Amino acid sequence: MRSRAPEVAVTTPQLLAGLMDSRARLNGVEVAGLAAGFRRSPAFSGPGDLRGRVVAVDEPDAVSTIGVMAAAWERGAVSLLSGVPAGQTPWGKGAPGSRLVPEAVTAEWDLPEDCALVQATSGSSGTPRLAMRSHASFEWESRAYAAVWGAGAHPLVHCVRLQHSLGIGITLSALLAGRDVWHADPIRANRLRGFGDRIGVLAGTPATLRVLNEALAAREVQADTVFCAAGALDPRLRGVLERRWGNGIVLGFGSTETGGVLAGPRGIGAPVPGAELLDAPIGTEPFQLKVRFPHEVLGYVGSPSRTRVWDFPDLVRRGDDGQLEHVARMTRTMRTRDRTQALARLADALKTMDRDWRLLEPSGDTGTLSLLLEGGPLSEVDEARLRDAGGAVIGGAAIRTIPRFPRNDEGKVELAKLFAANHDPGPPRHARKAATA
């Protein structure tokens, strides 16, 4: 027996209200009525509200993905998007498809009332970290992107999977702003139809823009804006895109935790409206990217940290034109072929040595990957142990010890000063060069 459709809660969640008021269409379907079409999804068991519950959204296309998310918000639930195969998660046993996550799994998540979406950060460690995004965060991101992309009635077209934070971020941003969206997964990009001969925003990562460019190569289509984020754009690909579309590329930078933060024509852009740089020195000296938001960033499931200031593990410098250039990333994970590898064995080995550590990843192809360790010089035995634990991931890295990492009054490592200490030729380096195999 089917349960009756629930009534919309008295206090309508912000994103649901925004979609209900929007005149936009998603792949030709009006988004204002999407929730109604998915109220009877198998993900929603039983009548009444689902406040405090989580719906894992696993749908075959954009319309059903946004539809189930809207229906979840209508019932008071939080949506969850994960790029990890359902069978590899604690909530995904059984057949594919959206589902209500068992309370036994989420009982200790302690999600705040304003949480709209839980999204897995990228990772190949089996269990990704789950970041929380608020309704206010997505509403702000929509206004920020609207300012970056410019006004216009033409649609956003992209093929970034919605499980990717950029994919869901630009999709919701456009829909909330009343802009139509046409979406397909990368393998179906050549099936994108219906938007006529004019695109407002052609968007994607470097990889998906290459796919889109090839998929639309034989069609007489124009684009007002080409937007590229979530990866460094190779100069050769940039040239190809500019010649094809006749426009400069707008570059973006952000994170799963915060959404889009920077945008501009060069480097990684400048703060979007509403975002403010903090502790940024005048000149070209590298500094850690710290951004103040007009709303609170929620942090991660299991370790919430409501804050309006988010510290990125990225070192940047500011050009004369105000655009930021990425210098390096200092983190305990590293990117390899656009994926993040958690260095679990290395972390365990360093934990037994009681050493704090950071990986220094220079931008682009310049510089050498460095593993920075706090404390005295390593013995040959300890270095061999670390190289064995890190394997091929740190096979070409230099390992350097620094007696004490620079820290602020709160005890947090100051990444800009650590970067400078690593490049200071004066003090003894205590570094052991990686063996070249």
Side-chain angles (χ1 to χ4, degrees), residues 389-413:
V393 174
I394 65 164
I399 299 179
R400 178 180 182 185
T401 59
I402 296 176
R404 179 167 175 75
F405 284 175
R407 300 174 186 272
N408 60 20
D409 293 339
E410 298 175 354
K412 294 182 179 181
V413 176

Side-chain angles (χ1 to χ4, degrees), residues 134-332:
S134 68
H135 289 268
S137 173
F138 281 107
E139 285 198 319
W140 164 79
E141 188 176 36
S142 177
R143 294 190 297 272
Y145 274 140
V148 169
W149 296 336
H154 300 296
L156 167 80
V157 177
H158 76 99
C159 64
V160 185
R161 290 187 174 88
L162 300 193
Q163 290 81 4
H164 190 293
S165 59
L166 177 66
I168 192 63
I170 60 177
T171 297
L172 287 176
S173 292
L175 296 177
L176 292 171
R179 187 189 289 269
D180 291 352
V181 174
W182 290 88
H183 174 270
D185 283 344
I187 60 172
R188 298 182 178 85
N190 60 348
R191 301 182 189 178
L192 281 166
R193 296 286 189 278
F195 47 82
D197 60 0
R198 191 82 184 189
I199 295 171
V201 184
L202 185 76
T205 66
T208 61
L209 278 175
R210 185 186 296 276
V211 170
L212 264 184
N213 188 60
E214 294 175 355
L216 302 176
R219 296 167 58 180
E220 294 295 329
V221 183
Q222 292 181 299
D224 298 329
T225 300
V226 179
F227 179 73
C228 181
L233 183 60
D234 182 89
R236 290 171 295 182
L237 177 57
R238 179 169 187 154
V240 168
L241 295 174
E242 289 178 341
R243 287 191 296 272
R244 167 64 176 88
W245 301 103
N247 293 312
I249 311 297
V250 178
L251 304 170
F253 179 90
S255 69
T256 304
E257 298 88 343
T258 63
V261 176
L262 310 173
R266 193 182 66 79
I268 56 174
V272 297
E276 177 189 359
L277 283 183
L278 294 183
D279 300 337
I282 297 175
T284 59
E285 178 185 349
F287 60 94
Q288 183 177 358
L289 180 61
K290 299 180 182 180
V291 179
R292 186 195 305 277
F293 293 88
H295 56 271
E296 290 185 313
V297 180
L298 300 183
Y300 305 98
V301 168
S303 56
S305 55
R306 301 184 73 102
T307 177
R308 289 181 180 268
V309 177
W310 190 257
D311 295 356
F312 291 80
D314 299 275
L315 300 177
V316 299
R317 63 166 53 94
R318 186 160 43 190
D320 293 338
D321 57 359
Q323 303 295 298
L324 300 180
E325 298 174 356
H326 196 269
V327 176
R329 168 167 290 190
M330 285 193 183
T331 178
R332 288 191 171 94

